[in-house]
């Protein structure tokens, strides 16, 4: 039997009309806006008629990942399908994939194998246009800034201190650093600038943190666009077009409803970068879901040191959410890599390396405990894993007082996640006492130090001169009592991607602080954070095709 | 009674569910893909079940416009509504509005008053995402080009001769001329480039001329992206990602179905620039419409010298369409302006100026006759028009053997277009013998000279040295037997926007030729053609807003 590709599996799935899926949530057909036959947006009115549940919130996070990712989305979908199979009312709440990585490295981001959200080809491509709305609004604001300067610069903006760049949902390294406004007097004012990928836009974070259009408008207006020559911060509102920016989000703000291959309702909405933003799907989608069903499975970007920390300290704090259980996804392969095994030897049994690498998992388990939420480990099984390795991993987790279960959702869908579902139900039976790791009222330095010491295991934090100067600016901006959004490598608990496992005796260097005044957090950058990816030598786009009849190949 | 705004009128309209509208066309509900409740895409299967009509094609064009436009879209919608009221099966086929002008100068482009397509706020904003698909595919190709160079430049592309730029659907003059790839070795290769507005993308023209995905893929592959250092032309296919580009259009290629306020089905699909492209809605939408109903009303950009010429010589020629009647929209105000009246005096009766300016209308009537298609003049009535002026205009047209009728569709909807509908029915009763104005097999110089002399009334054409050199390149590109797409000012029959009325004794200067190898035409540029608009001092965006409940203001 030949292995089927993700797109083949997805196309073979029997989908139910989206109105039927909405119906299972208690949402009437007139409260959804269909996009094709199998996608819909949920209107605010949908909530009114929803089942009225008060669901439990389950976060799926992971150990520090290898470059290929550890299967958080796949595990989230499979777990939700397993709960659904057990007759439990469940929704999986995911992030929307970005087009850039889809055509670059990854191919797609809608789960994998038999644990996918469908229609995967739509979700991976333009979906319902939410990201395009962000691209448009972000670039409209940029155009308004340059136009303001061109038309006389009444605000006295300093062209060397415009912080608002442009975005495209494409991997395009040539746009990272550009000079715009060239060509002479009638073509604008020359200045240095650049493009980020759309998912890195502050507007994406705003979309994901807003609780409605009014809140969103307020946040959009507060975006810091730059500074005057006199050193005064200038916010988007001063350009007078916050209403127009909000208008562009009139549909994007509505959560999207699709389904998994297993027939579980899926809310897919927003997808902010997990480094310069908080990397979680929208607050509105999560809150809608909790009103509709008893169990909501959601995910956060990268490993638990980044994704879960920001899910807890930013999303849950700002939205008043209280998570009830956490699933930490681990793979034998990635733990062996954390134990020092090179990439090309990961297929060989190596219990010593696994034992060493499991220190990474151990730290993440400890960390989740610090937030007061019960944890379960999901071992995402690969064909190369040996029974001895899997048994050792279970044993190591048991010693830490945590259940580890094998997850085979990629190969078997919900059926492969039934054991995981049982373990999650056990965890939900334990008392949860969620609390963020730091007090937002503390100083920025104290907040960062708490995260670095408690979560990363660092000895302390060093701030560069630039970062110290920016810390003072945060006072001017009124951004001292907000959460902190850490931008750090996902490959290590430290800020050095080479330090795998559970490093010790290191310090974190914060080299820059940025104010996301609209999103409502201060970004602390450690190391080099790339906000516009590049394409590889052979982009995934090369292998893609579609026939006249719509048969798609090359989308993973 | 206070005057209602366009968005207020549109929101007050009673819309029918889009499946019902499709039903009137013989299209089954399972063959449409709904986007919300009042928009849908038509699948290829829709055609199979359509009414099976063999409709008459009516083009709405105009005299040389004033900067505000003369109401072609409004007249098209109103005429279609009038025919619909008379019980005639009708579809209006329009272009999609661009977001750039919406937030810049114009506010919106979905008709006006009681002759609008609805939901106008959706149509004017992201609609069904077609333009976003173009932005994405266009910029993916650009990223692939820069990545190819960065990864070793196996094709030996000359970085100074890359002709493929980037696009955004925003008015942003600062992006016209940029330098990309700055910032050092890992951030790409520095080179001069720029951004056009999305509607100016060759991919927009391709979308509008394709008859399906296979044809589209072939056209996308043929796009000229640049030249090697050895002087060989390089086409998109050589980058190996034509399949991926086509995949991005899997939904955009399907025509969009909406309705007018009067309940007439409207196909809105594509909207290429009327100067560097051909400015007509998609061939697929037109052909679908002709299969569904007996009367299809469509429009072409700018005045008849540009829009109608390209509709006939490019769209109809390439698609094998045979138009049956033409409506030329004129206003007393614009004719007086063509007769030398300054903008601030257009509200005062001036029969002499009207008589002089009517020479412009006369020339367009003559021109339409040269294509063998019967014409009708629609006088788009303004409150400032006097009875004497309107009577004179009717008389002047009668002397030319053409019926002129007053159109009051802006104020009255379809009811205000009944007289126009009668006149159009009369014209459809006359024999039509459509034929393009030039033979595509003639030389490029001969084709341009024919247009200049026959349509513009020029004495001849001068080619700059650059244009002559490019003419030789067209041989290399195999682009000598394609139609020519003229890029010229819309304000004058000549290439000088200051020459109003019916200028004589002038020559046309062609300063540049560009090969749109995918679209299948050679663009001949006269004067300065701006392919990225700028924002005005007070952009339309400033006045827009939306409330929590979705009530929109400031969208015209």
């Amino acid at each position: 039997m030949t292995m089927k590709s993700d797109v083949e599996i997805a196309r073979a799935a029997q989908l139910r009309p989206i109105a039927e899926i909405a119906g299972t949530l208690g949402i009437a057909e007139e409260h959804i806006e269909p996009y094709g036959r199998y996608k819909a947006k949920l209107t605010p009115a949908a909530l009114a008629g929803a089942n009225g549940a008060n669901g439990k919130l389950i976060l799926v996070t992971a150990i520090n990942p290898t470059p290929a990712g550890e299967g958080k989305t796949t595990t989230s979908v499979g777990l939700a399908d397993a709960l659904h199979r057990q007759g439990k009312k469940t929704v999986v709440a995911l992030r929307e994939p970005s087009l850039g990585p889809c055509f670059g490295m990854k191919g797609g981001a809608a789960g994998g194998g038999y644990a996918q959200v469908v229609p995967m080809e739509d979700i991976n491509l333009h979906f319902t246009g939410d990201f395009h709305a962000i691209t448009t609004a972000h670039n409209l604001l940029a155009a308004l800034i340059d136009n303001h300067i061109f038309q006389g610069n009444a605000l006295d903006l300093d062209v060397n201190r415009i912080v608002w760049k442009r975005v495209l949902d494409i991997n395009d390294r040539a746009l990272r650093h550009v000079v715009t406004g060239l060509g002479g007097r009638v073509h604008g004012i020359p200045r240095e600038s650049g493009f980020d990928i759309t998912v890195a836009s502050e507007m994406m974070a705003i979309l994901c943190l807003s609780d409605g259009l009014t809140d969103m408008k307020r946040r959009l207006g507060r975006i810091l666009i730059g500074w005057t020559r006199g050193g005064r911060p200038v916010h988007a509102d001063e350009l007078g077009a916050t209403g127009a920016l909000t208008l562009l989000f009139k549909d994007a703000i509505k959560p999207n409803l699709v389904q998994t291959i297993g027939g579980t309702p899926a809310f897919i909405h927003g997808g902010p970068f997990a480094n310069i933003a908080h990397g979680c799907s929208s607050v509105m989608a999560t809150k809608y879901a909790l009103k509709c069903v008893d169990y909501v499975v959601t995910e956060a970007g990268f490993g638990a040191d980044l994704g879960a920390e920001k899910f807890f300290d930013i999303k849950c704090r700002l939205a008043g959410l209280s998570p009830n259980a956490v699933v930490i996804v681990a793979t034998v392969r990635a733990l062996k890599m954390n134990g020092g095994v090179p990439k090309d030897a990961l297929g060989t049994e190596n219990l010593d390396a696994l034992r060493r690498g499991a220190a990474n998992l151990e730290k993440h388990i400890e960390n989740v405990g610090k937030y007061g939420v019960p944890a379960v480990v999901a071992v995402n099984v690969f064909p190369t894993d040996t029974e001895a390795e899997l048994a050792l991993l279970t044993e190591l987790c048991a010693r830490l007082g945590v259940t580890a279960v094998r997850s085979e959702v990629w190969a078997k869908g919900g059926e492969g996640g039934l054991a995981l579902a049982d373990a999650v139900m056990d965890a939900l039976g334990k008392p949860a006492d969620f609390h963020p790791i730091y007090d937002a009222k503390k100083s920025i330095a104290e907040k960062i130090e708490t995260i670095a010491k408690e979560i990363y295991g660092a000895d302390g934090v060093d701030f560069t001169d630039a970062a110290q100067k920016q810390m003072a600016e945060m006072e001017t901006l009124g951004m001292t009592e907000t959460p902190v959004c850490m931008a750090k490598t996902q490959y290590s608990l430290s800020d050095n991607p080479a330090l795998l496992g559970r490093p010790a005796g290191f310090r974190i260097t914060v080299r820059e602080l940025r104010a996301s005044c609209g999103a409502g957090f201060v970004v602390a950058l450690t190391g080099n954070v790339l906000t516009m990816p590049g394409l590889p030598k052979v982009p995934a786009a090369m292998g893609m095709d579609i026939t006249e009849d719509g048969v798609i190949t090359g989308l993973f």
Side-chain angles (χ1 to χ4, degrees), chain A:
Chain A
M1 196 182 87
T2 52
M3 193 69 121
K4 280 189 185 171
S5 73
D6 284 355
V7 70
E8 283 169 337
I9 293 169
R11 298 281 285 204
Q14 291 291 320
L15 274 62
R16 292 164 68 192
I18 201 64
E20 258 184 63
I21 299 288
T24 67
L25 301 170
I27 296 172
E29 186 163 2
E30 66 258 35
H31 292 150
I32 65 169
E33 293 173 354
Y35 279 64
R37 328 215 124 253
Y38 306 109
K39 297 167 286 176
K41 282 198 166 276
L42 301 172
T43 65
L47 251 195
N51 287 339
N54 184 16
K56 304 264 189 195
L57 183 57
I58 303 150
L59 173 71
V60 175
T61 182
I63 59 166
N64 289 97
T66 58
E70 295 318 300
K72 281 190 304 295
T73 306
T74 303
T75 304
S76 302
V77 172
L79 169 59
D81 278 349
L83 291 165
H84 179 71
R85 277 175 87 100
Q86 293 177 338
K88 301 183 177 76
K89 284 183 183 292
T90 307
V91 159
V92 60
L94 301 172
R95 295 169 296 162
E96 300 182 44
S98 163
L99 279 164
C102 178
F103 290 106
M105 203 67 101
K106 291 173 71 175
Y114 289 88
Q116 290 187 64
V117 277
V118 281
M120 75 82 95
E121 63 276 28
D122 291 8
I123 296 167
N124 275 315
L125 295 173
H126 309 287
F127 201 22
T128 58
D130 296 343
F131 286 14
H132 293 317
I134 291 165
T135 303
T136 306
H138 186 118
N139 292 324
L140 174 59
L141 179 54
L144 289 165
I145 293 169
D146 270 302
N147 189 57
H148 179 87
I149 298 169
F150 177 79
Q151 303 282 2
N153 198 8
L155 289 169
D156 196 33
L157 279 164
D158 183 344
V159 294
N160 292 316
R161 293 194 76 193
I162 304 296
V163 298
W164 192 251
K165 300 200 286 182
R166 289 178 176 82
V167 296
L168 275 181
D169 194 10
I170 293 286
N171 287 11
D172 192 347
R173 70 172 63 72
L175 292 179
R176 286 176 193 153
H177 302 282
V178 303
V179 173
T180 57
L182 297 172
R185 203 179 57 83
V186 299
H187 304 302
I189 312 294
R191 62 182 187 86
E192 286 183 52
S193 187
F195 285 70
D196 291 333
I197 191 164
T198 297
V199 282
S201 169
E202 186 181 344
M203 289 189 182
M204 178 72 87
I206 289 174
L207 177 74
C208 290
L209 290 171
S210 296
D211 67 13
L213 278 174
T214 304
D215 183 35
M216 187 156 196
K217 196 188 296 180
R218 194 176 48 84
R219 290 172 181 274
L220 291 169
R222 280 199 314 220
I223 288 171
L224 177 70
I225 58 171
W227 301 75
T228 66
R229 278 180 279 210
R232 184 181 71 79
V234 180
H235 300 269
D237 238 355
E238 300 182 52
L239 293 173
T242 313
L245 297 178
T246 312
L247 184 52
L248 281 166
F249 289 105
K250 77 178 181 63
D251 296 312
I253 200 170
K254 301 168 192 159
N256 304 293
L257 173 66
V258 290
Q259 61 193 289
T260 69
I261 289 181
T264 309
F267 288 12
I268 306 191
H269 197 217
F273 239 44
N275 45 28
I276 70 159
H278 61 294
C280 305
S281 67
S282 83
V283 164
M284 286 185 69
T286 308
K287 287 192 167 176
Y288 272 41
L290 290 168
K291 288 277 169 238
C292 290
V293 293
D294 299 323
Y295 302 94
V296 176
V297 180
T298 191
E299 57 169 352
F302 296 148
D305 51 327
L306 280 172
E309 187 270 307
K310 296 198 262 198
F311 174 79
F312 293 138
D313 288 323
I314 299 178
K315 179 174 174 177
C316 291
R317 180 200 307 261
L318 295 180
L321 295 168
S322 199
N324 304 89
V326 171
V327 174
I328 304 174
V329 181
T331 63
V332 167
R333 293 165 61 89
L335 289 175
K336 285 194 288 190
M337 207 169 176
N338 268 288
V341 175
K343 208 175 165 185
D344 55 6
L346 292 175
T348 312
E349 182 176 279
N350 190 333
L351 297 174
D352 282 345
L354 179 60
R355 204 172 280 118
R356 281 195 304 277
N360 183 269
L361 173 60
E362 182 185 26
K363 176 61 178 154
H364 291 300
I365 293 171
E366 279 177 30
N367 287 350
V368 169
K370 291 181 183 184
Y371 289 96
V373 188
V376 171
V377 171
V379 183
N380 188 10
V381 177
F382 276 69
T384 51
D385 300 347
T386 68
E387 271 305 318
E389 286 175 328
L390 292 166
L392 173 62
L393 191 48
T394 307
E395 184 198 320
L396 291 171
C397 289
R399 270 190 236 159
L400 299 167
V402 168
T403 307
V405 268
R406 299 182 193 186
S407 169
E408 296 179 276
V409 299
W410 188 88
K412 299 179 184 170
E415 197 197 328
L418 291 173
L420 177 59
D422 290 340
V424 167
M425 290 305 294
D426 283 348
L428 289 174
K430 295 179 189 168
D433 173 30
F434 169 70
H435 47 80
I437 201 84
Y438 58 83
D439 179 353
K441 293 204 187 306
K442 298 266 182 184
S443 75
I444 291 173
E446 283 173 297
K447 284 180 277 200
I448 295 173
E449 267 165 22
T450 302
I451 297 168
K453 289 180 181 171
E454 294 289 329
I455 304 300
Y456 306 159
D459 292 339
V461 181
D462 300 316
F463 294 88
T464 63
D465 289 351
Q468 285 182 17
K469 192 168 158 253
Q470 285 152 347
M471 227 178 293
E473 279 175 6
M474 296 300 149
E475 302 266 358
T476 314
L477 292 166
M479 291 294 288
T480 49
E481 299 196 353
T482 64
V484 167
C485 182
M486 297 301 293
K488 184 182 74 65
T489 178
Q490 68 266 39
Y491 297 119
S492 171
L493 279 157
S494 76
D495 58 359
N496 175 358
L499 297 183
L500 302 185
R502 182 177 182 166
F506 64 92
R507 296 179 65 82
I508 296 285
T509 304
V510 172
R511 61 170 180 80
E512 188 185 339
L513 295 176
R514 289 184 198 166
S516 290
C517 300
F521 50 67
V522 171
V523 183
L525 292 102
T526 71
N528 287 316
V529 173
L530 220 50
T531 51
M532 171 55 97
L535 289 169
K537 181 133 187 140
V538 182
M542 299 290 193
M544 296 180 188
D545 206 358
I546 183 169
T547 67
E548 185 74 38
D549 299 332
V551 178
I552 295 166
T553 43
L555 200 62
F556 300 105

